[in-house]
Amino acid sequence: SVPKVPPARVHEELAWTQDVLYSLTGRRATLFRPPYGEVDERLSRLAAGQGLVTVQFDLASGDPDRRISASKLIDYVSKKARNGSIIVMHMNGNGIHTAKALPRILHRLRKRGFELVTVSELLGLPPAPPVPAPAAESVPAAPENGCSPGEKCL
């Protein structure tokens, strides 16, 4: 369970993720969506200590499920989304039909009258500001915690 991860490990992984995002985009994240939506007060406090606002989602798209076709993904998300929904979709290789389904989902949601905004806009928060360039231009090495990409680390 994510909330049982030791505080030092949480801190290390959040800091590493911030460093990677910064090295790739020149920005640091301001929002934190816990893996699997598993969160408790301690995890939110640790994230806040690194300047992150913890957010949850209300609609899990189901896109990592290999049994769900792009068509079913389109229908499900398009029908279940509500005003203010935060929808979880994956572009990390786990959402096998996400890239194919997303344009149709967006079209249907707009057709239903939804205005699509970032989570920061939805919550009335400012976007992440650009920050000065880092000293090193490379992507930081992953923390030495034995986790590999796609593995439940945090």
Side-chain angles (χ1 to χ4, degrees):
S1 166
V2 175
K4 294 180 181 174
V5 174
R9 169 98 171 263
V10 171
H11 177 78
E12 183 179 61
E13 289 193 29
L14 290 173
W16 175 75
T17 302
Q18 288 285 51
D19 290 345
V20 169
L21 287 171
Y22 181 74
S23 73
L24 297 171
T25 68
R27 296 176 187 265
R28 297 201 182 277
T30 57
L31 303 174
F32 168 63
R33 196 253 321 150
Y36 310 98
E38 294 179 5
V39 66
D40 61 9
E41 184 179 332
R42 178 192 70 100
L43 186 56
S44 289
R45 195 172 48 254
L46 289 167
Q50 294 199 30
L52 299 166
V53 174
T54 300
V55 296
Q56 278 289 23
F57 55 90
D58 69 309
L59 179 53
S61 68
D63 63 346
D65 188 338
R66 295 188 177 280
R67 297 168 297 176
I68 296 176
S69 66
S71 178
K72 293 236 185 244
L73 184 60
I74 292 164
D75 289 342
Y76 179 77
V77 173
S78 299
K79 289 176 183 170
K80 293 289 185 179
R82 300 288 175 254
N83 189 35
S85 280
I86 296 175
I87 304 167
V88 173
M89 300 190 85
H90 299 82
M91 296 302 287
N92 60 358
N94 289 335
I96 60 170
H97 298 298
T98 304
K100 181 177 179 183
L102 192 56
R104 296 274 315 275
I105 291 169
L106 297 177
H107 174 77
R108 286 188 181 185
L109 293 177
R110 287 183 177 116
K111 194 171 178 180
R112 285 183 57 199
F114 286 106
E115 176 186 354
L116 306 175
V117 299
T118 66
V119 174
S120 292
E121 289 173 301
L122 181 66
L123 300 177
L125 301 172
V131 290
E137 293 292 329
S138 62
V139 175
E144 294 194 25
N145 59 14
C147 289
S148 58
E151 188 177 352
K152 184 176 178 179
C153 293
L154 212 184

